[in-house]
Amino acid sequence: DTAVSQTPKYLVTQMGNDKSIKCEQNLGHDTMYWYKQDSKKFLKIMFSYNNKELIINETVPNRFSPKSPDKAHLNLHINSLELGDSAVYFCASSPARATDTQYFGPGTRLTVL
Amino acid sequence: AQKITQTQPGMFVQEKEAVTLDCTYDTSDPSYGLFWYKQPSSGEMIFLIYQGSYDQQNATEGRYSLNFQKARKSANLVISASQLGDSAMYFCAMREGNTGGFKTIFGAGTRLFVKA
């Protein structure tokens, strides 16, 4: 009965490869997010989707493409992986209001060699 | 401009004592939410406490309380009776925006060490 789940938990891959991270939430929330946490623990939003519609797209390279097949899923596909993409990627979800709490998935640690 | 500032990269506290983690924020939006999250060494982000910009009283959740001073734009987290398991990274966050999209901005975090 995990609220926000991500797969895989760990991902090790070579530079230049394409990879995907999946996220699912069973909280019935309208909004889902992807965050990147770098090696200094700084957490920055990448994308936000509301009811399958992209509403926030920060300055992220277009090698990163989110896809939301339905309200409960938000996947992140990364093309042509680079060393600098190594980080922990967190999925989160929340209801739609500014005052609503976000709930995070367990994170996916991506290592690009 | 930095929207969320946590000035303490690291803090030490003796077990069973109280500790205050500082957070200041900057926004011109009248409606916003302030949050604290805990990230233990295992990596997950755990929601601790929330304060709305219109809330009159300071939020409390068990041993956690949020010292909200709106005029000073500060939202400090107070942990009472620290436990060894409180050793973790703590993030202050602010959620603002409008129907075009709410964005949560995180501070750089404070690493708390609880000493036995």
Side-chain angles (χ1 to χ4, degrees), chain A residues 14-27:
Chain A
Q14 299 283 340
M15 253 181 12
N17 284 351
D18 302 339
K19 290 293 178 186
S20 292
I21 307 171
K22 296 187 175 182
C23 177
E24 176 180 2
Q25 55 98 0
N26 61 7
L27 298 166

Side-chain angles (χ1 to χ4, degrees), chain A residues 9 33 35 37 40-43 45 48 55-56 58 90 94-106, chain B residues 31-33 35 37 39 42-45 47 50 52 89 91 95-97 100-104 106-108 111:
Chain A
K9 190 164 171 61
Y33 312 81
Y35 287 87
Q37 187 174 41
K40 294 184 177 163
K41 299 293 188 182
F42 189 67
L43 201 63
I45 190 165
S48 172
I55 53 172
I56 291 175
E58 291 296 289
F90 284 98
S94 73
R97 298 171 305 172
T99 52
D100 289 322
T101 299
Q102 284 182 301
Y103 293 92
F104 283 78
Chain B
S31 177
Y32 52 90
F35 304 84
Y37 287 87
Q39 187 176 41
S42 50
E44 70 267 33
M45 292 287 287
F47 165 71
Y50 160 79
M89 196 78 169
F91 292 96
R95 189 161 159 79
E96 59 174 2
F102 297 114
K103 190 188 296 189
T104 304
F106 285 80
R111 188 171 292 280

Side-chain angles (χ1 to χ4, degrees), chain A residues 32-83:
Chain A
M32 295 184 72
Y33 312 81
W34 278 108
Y35 287 87
K36 179 181 180 180
Q37 187 174 41
D38 62 24
S39 58
K40 294 184 177 163
K41 299 293 188 182
F42 189 67
L43 201 63
K44 193 171 190 312
I45 190 165
M46 301 171 69
F47 301 103
S48 172
Y49 268 74
N50 183 269
N51 279 318
K52 302 194 298 173
E53 184 184 339
L54 180 66
I55 53 172
I56 291 175
N57 183 351
E58 291 296 289
T59 48
V60 176
N62 57 16
R63 298 182 295 104
F64 290 79
S65 52
K67 291 224 173 16
S68 182
D70 55 58
K71 203 170 84 163
H73 295 84
L74 180 62
N75 304 324
L76 183 66
H77 188 75
I78 316 170
N79 289 328
S80 303
L81 278 154
E82 300 177 358
L83 294 177

